[in-house]
Amino acid sequence: MNLLSAAILPLRLHHPDGSTPVIVGEGALSSVLPELEDWLARRAAFLVTTPRVHALHGDRLEVLCRAAAKWVILEVEEGEGAKTVSTAERLWNEMLDAGGKRDSRVIALGGGSVGDLAGFAAGCFLRGIEFVQIPTTLLAQVDAAIGGKTGVDLPGGKNTVGLFHHPWMVVGDTAVLSTLPREELRSGLVEVIKMAALLDPDLFGLVEEELDLLLEGDAAALGPVVAAAAAAKIAVVERDPTEKGERRLLNFGHTLGHAIESACGYAGLRHGEAVGYGILFALRLARRRGLISQVAARIHHLIRRLELPRLPELSAEGLMAGMARDKKARESGLVWVLPRSLGEGWMTDGIPEHEVRGELADFLRDPLRRPV
Ligand SMILES: NC(=O)c1ccc[n+]([C@@H]2O[C@H](COP(=O)([O-])OP(=O)(O)OC[C@H]3O[C@@H](n4cnc5c(N)ncnc54)[C@H](O)[C@@H]3O)[C@@H](O)[C@H]2O)c1
């Protein structure tokens, strides 16, 4: 590895298939271009990206385009619409037609949806070829690009087809976040706050201090936050690579968040914004189970400072049905991830349905009210 500046942190994720360098910080991409050039030399490279991200940041990869024997740009739709079996099939056909082989390379340049799709396409093509994640959203830099989970959606549910396929490298360059709309930064910050609240109190304090700069996409302020959040995610994934236990802590706010997204038809509210409301609700359940009010108020206040868009009118019964359908519902009941204190989380499937229903009806009357 070449010499890295102080703003760039080289992390590493150890997993059952080996280990993946995770290079984060402002300027991370230019710092690893020589390694990526070697990785691509004399091989066909397939760049999976969206027209928008390619127009904004594609020129950063020009030197890689020259290093590869063949450089094929595979553009896909923006957002969740890209994560379909038919898009993956199109990519496989285009890769095959362009002479893709077992030693060909895939590069994902985009948000979590591009990374999930490209990782899935690379993981299945000729039984798996190497790929690199260059995440361009905050959410993808701290969460989606790290941990090897890839996949696409079926009409009946999100992320229902997929596989674990770890990238060869993850490059989270915070410089690319300067073009990200504020709403996308907010959505990613919810995931940062989620990890900080359950895993890293220092990170929580940093986000409290720097929130205004973070919401402006300030690359220097985002650097340490992305690094700490990525490190927190790496630590959890290393302890639980296949999401059988502790990794499920990352679902804080997601039990209700997913049901809200689904009830809104995946439109209107972004994923992170729905999870933000899910966190506010989980704080109420946590308060009833011993979370002290100062900690609940701190988490609540930080989420409120994000100024989430208004929650649409939703019925408690509809959301209860949505949660029951969610793949996280186990036979024994819904699994809730709750904070026990700042930096410590736990999971329970033992909250009675009538309690959840009653709390939810109250929550929907005034979702932003501080938990008592
Ligand atoms: N694999 C995992 O472990 C994991 C974890 C969390 C989320 N996810 C998945 O991630 C996806 C959500 O990812 P996301 O929040 O990054 O959304 P996204 O990929 O849909 O991107 C959001 C929007 O930002 C735009 N964009 C991306 N980078 C940009 C940039 N630098 N400047 C301007 N615009 C830019 C995109 O074109 C898109 O319109 C979901 O499909 C979710 O299931 C996966």
Side-chain angles (χ1 to χ4, degrees), residues 105-327:
R105 311 301 202 198
V106 169
I107 299 173
L109 177 73
S113 51
V114 166
D116 277 8
L117 167 73
F120 176 69
C124 297
F125 187 70
L126 303 177
R127 297 199 183 82
I129 64 172
E130 289 183 5
F131 85 114
V132 158
Q133 288 267 25
I134 306 180
T136 61
T137 63
L138 178 58
L139 183 140
Q141 291 192 358
V142 299
D143 195 355
I146 300 171
K149 281 206 293 184
T150 74
V152 295
D153 306 334
L154 292 178
K158 267 187 75 174
N159 300 322
T160 32
V161 182
L163 72 160
F164 283 93
H165 184 55
H166 284 275
W168 184 80
M169 182 185 270
V170 179
V171 191
D173 191 332
T174 54
V176 302
L177 303 181
S178 61
T179 57
L180 202 59
R182 189 180 173 90
E183 298 74 35
E184 294 296 341
L185 286 160
R186 172 168 65 197
S187 188
L189 278 167
V190 172
E191 302 288 348
V192 173
I193 294 169
K194 164 198 87 175
M195 285 191 255
L198 298 195
L199 299 162
D200 186 344
D202 292 341
L203 173 59
F204 194 88
L206 187 61
V207 176
E208 284 179 319
E209 269 169 41
E210 303 274 19
L211 192 70
D212 296 337
L213 283 175
L214 298 172
L215 279 168
E216 283 165 21
D218 183 287
L222 282 160
V225 167
V226 170
K233 171 128 194 205
I234 286 172
V236 172
V237 171
E238 284 187 346
R239 291 194 290 268
D240 179 16
T242 52
E243 203 169 340
K244 299 257 171 10
E246 189 191 342
R247 189 163 171 179
R248 289 193 287 145
L249 281 181
L250 299 173
N251 291 326
F252 178 35
H254 285 60
T255 312
L256 181 63
H258 279 156
I260 291 175
E261 270 189 293
S262 152
C264 297
Y266 297 95
L269 279 189
R270 286 175 170 73
H271 173 72
E273 295 163 346
V275 171
Y277 280 108
I279 290 177
L280 296 183
F281 180 68
L283 288 174
R284 291 174 171 234
L285 300 177
R287 272 290 291 141
R288 289 165 167 251
R289 282 157 186 82
L291 178 69
I292 60 170
S293 74
Q294 289 93 325
V295 172
R298 227 175 125 184
I299 301 173
H300 192 270
H301 182 60
L302 191 52
I303 295 284
R304 282 214 59 177
R305 282 178 62 200
L306 295 174
E307 298 180 345
L308 297 176
R310 208 178 58 79
L311 187 65
E313 293 281 323
L314 297 168
S315 81
E317 278 319 309
L319 290 172
M320 291 296 291
M323 286 191 283
R325 274 194 308 271
D326 193 306
K327 69 183 155 79

Side-chain angles (χ1 to χ4, degrees), residues 8 21 53 56 82-83 97 100 137 181 229 233-234 241 265 274 276 290 294 330 360:
I8 299 163
V53 173
L56 288 169
K83 284 177 54 177
D97 291 348
T137 63
K233 171 128 194 205
I234 286 172
Q294 289 93 325
R330 303 276 177 260
L360 189 55

